[in-house]
Amino acid sequence: MNPARFRWGVLLILAGVLLLLNNLDRLDWWVWADIIHLWPLLLIAIGIEKIFTRTKAEVVAYLSPLALAAVIIWVAIGGIGSANNRSLLAYTDSGGGVDALVARIDMRGHDLQLGGSTENLYRARYGHRKFSPEIDYTVDGATGRLSIVDRNRLRWFQVGDRLAKALDVDLTDAKPLRLTCDGDD
């Protein structure tokens, strides 16, 4: 077996395991955004492999794809900037003091996915490390007020910042809801 076959075998097995974990809901789909940012590591691994193939130190050519796989696994399980480190904010009205929810979501060009929740008044998750909205929740009398605003003022400067889902928001199904969404799209 040559190092190139070994490299592609390791990467295909790793991709299959990560996809299986995604399908079983053991790993968030956001991890792929962070893994794609690591594509230059593939070039480095191939370069190391090319340098050390058919030399006395050929073992290094076999170690470079294993090091690449280790970095990808580290990112997938919670390494720096990884999708598993994304924020999760939830508020449950356990005391029953809130009778209605007023929500304002201003995405300014990021994508939004809305869902329903019977457990929480709201739950917000965002995953892209360049996108961290300002989330504010207050209670005014018997009304909960939720504001989610994109703080990213330099979005014109960032290339590739748009993802399929930049923000997931689940809002209550159990209380009256008034929702306002603003954005570019």
Side-chain angles (χ1 to χ4, degrees), residues 88-139:
L88 169 64
L89 300 169
Y91 179 77
T92 303
D93 184 29
S94 57
V98 174
D99 295 332
L101 181 65
V102 176
R104 179 178 163 266
I105 302 173
D106 185 354
M107 293 303 295
R108 298 187 185 172
H110 292 286
D111 293 336
L112 169 69
Q113 178 161 336
L114 287 173
S117 172
T118 55
E119 299 171 3
N120 302 308
L121 284 175
Y122 76 88
R123 183 174 65 176
R125 294 180 306 263
Y126 52 94
H128 199 268
R129 64 181 170 256
K130 294 180 183 175
F131 172 65
S132 58
E134 184 175 302
I135 299 177
D136 184 45
Y137 178 73
T138 59
V139 177

Side-chain angles (χ1 to χ4, degrees), residues 8-25:
W8 288 115
V10 168
L11 291 178
L12 288 173
I13 291 169
L14 180 62
V17 168
L18 292 176
L19 287 169
L20 180 62
L21 291 172
N22 288 139
N23 287 337
L24 295 173
D25 286 332

